[in-house]
Amino acid sequence: MAGQCLSINITTFPLQQVDYVVAAYHVTWDSVVLLTGRDYHEQPATLVVDRAGKTLLIRRPLTMVLRQFFTENCISEADNRVCYRMLGMPRVTRAAVAGKYQLVPTCGTANEEVVWVMTHHLVHAEIADRKNNNLCLQFTSAHNHAPLLVTVQWCAKSFLNNMQAADQVAHLQLELADFRQYCHGLAGSKVEFSDFQRRRRLQHQLVEYNQLLCIHQHELVMKRAFEQKTLTPAERAAISQLGFKPFTPYTG
């Protein structure tokens, strides 16, 4: 099996060896294992590795590809922010989480060398080189069922912390989604009617989620108003006197 492994080292991978170079691409959950930013002819581009071990270079900045990815897969930034807030992790580097599907950054998202990893495809992760902080990631492969090994150069502790936080957010999202099904009488709910303590806890969490989401949306509107400078001094003064300051809980 070892001889059939597909292996890619992202830290040393030359762009001359990419399989495809395209101007645009629809990134989906099931076909991709990671994304990272690269420069191509002195222009920002995005390097993508899929489950078959194929490499793809999209001639668009990573932030633009991620934005398109979030939109096409109905990933709400507000939902992710609120869930991290509820779990007491507002300062943790946020992953893109949609239930069991998780796109986790290896480090801070402002870092130009950040690698976004589809951890729901991840089978195993281990330190490949402690001196250079190299991580070896093993994914389920779509190529003859052989494992796909990808090496990235990032601190294992940082990546594992981000991944564990994403797991907690995914668990909370799935619980709340299941409880909504129960509340609306939909089939498939796993919440037991007799499980009073769990139903009570989920009820409080759902109320907290809705409240935080409303606050976040209010703060977002206020933030945009401040940025666009459309408020008069009197309006700004009135907003400053509100019970909660504009967008202060979500500056992390």
Side-chain angles (χ1 to χ4, degrees), residues 82-134:
V82 167
C83 288
Y84 274 90
R85 182 75 178 178
M86 288 178 63
L87 293 169
M89 302 182 296
R91 301 292 178 180
V92 174
T93 300
R94 291 190 303 275
V97 184
K100 66 179 181 178
Y101 299 114
Q102 303 173 32
L103 181 59
V104 181
T106 53
C107 58
T109 56
N111 194 312
E112 294 181 356
E113 297 181 358
V114 61
V115 180
W116 290 80
V117 182
M118 297 286 195
T119 56
H120 54 282
H121 292 317
L122 189 62
V123 177
H124 180 69
E126 64 180 21
I127 299 175
D129 184 351
R130 292 185 179 275
K131 182 178 179 180
N132 297 317
N133 280 333
N134 282 355

Side-chain angles (χ1 to χ4, degrees), residues 102-203:
Q102 303 173 32
L103 181 59
V104 181
T106 53
C107 58
T109 56
N111 194 312
E112 294 181 356
E113 297 181 358
V114 61
V115 180
W116 290 80
V117 182
M118 297 286 195
T119 56
H120 54 282
H121 292 317
L122 189 62
V123 177
H124 180 69
E126 64 180 21
I127 299 175
D129 184 351
R130 292 185 179 275
K131 182 178 179 180
N132 297 317
N133 280 333
N134 282 355
L135 273 172
C136 183
L137 308 176
Q138 180 180 335
F139 298 93
T140 55
S141 173
H143 181 71
N144 296 329
H145 302 290
L148 171 62
L149 302 179
V150 181
T151 302
V152 298
Q153 189 175 19
W154 276 111
C155 175
K157 183 177 180 180
S158 174
F159 175 61
L160 291 177
N161 286 341
N162 293 340
M163 191 164 58
Q164 289 171 359
D167 285 339
Q168 295 181 52
V169 170
H171 179 72
L172 175 61
Q173 286 181 342
L174 291 172
E175 271 203 322
L176 292 180
D178 191 66
F179 186 63
R180 289 191 186 96
Q181 282 188 311
Y182 167 78
C183 292
H184 292 284
L186 299 177
S189 172
K190 299 177 183 178
V191 179
E192 295 293 338
F193 183 79
S194 60
D195 192 349
F196 176 79
Q197 294 296 333
R198 186 185 179 199
R199 285 192 290 112
R200 193 67 172 171
R201 174 176 59 82
L202 289 172
Q203 181 183 11

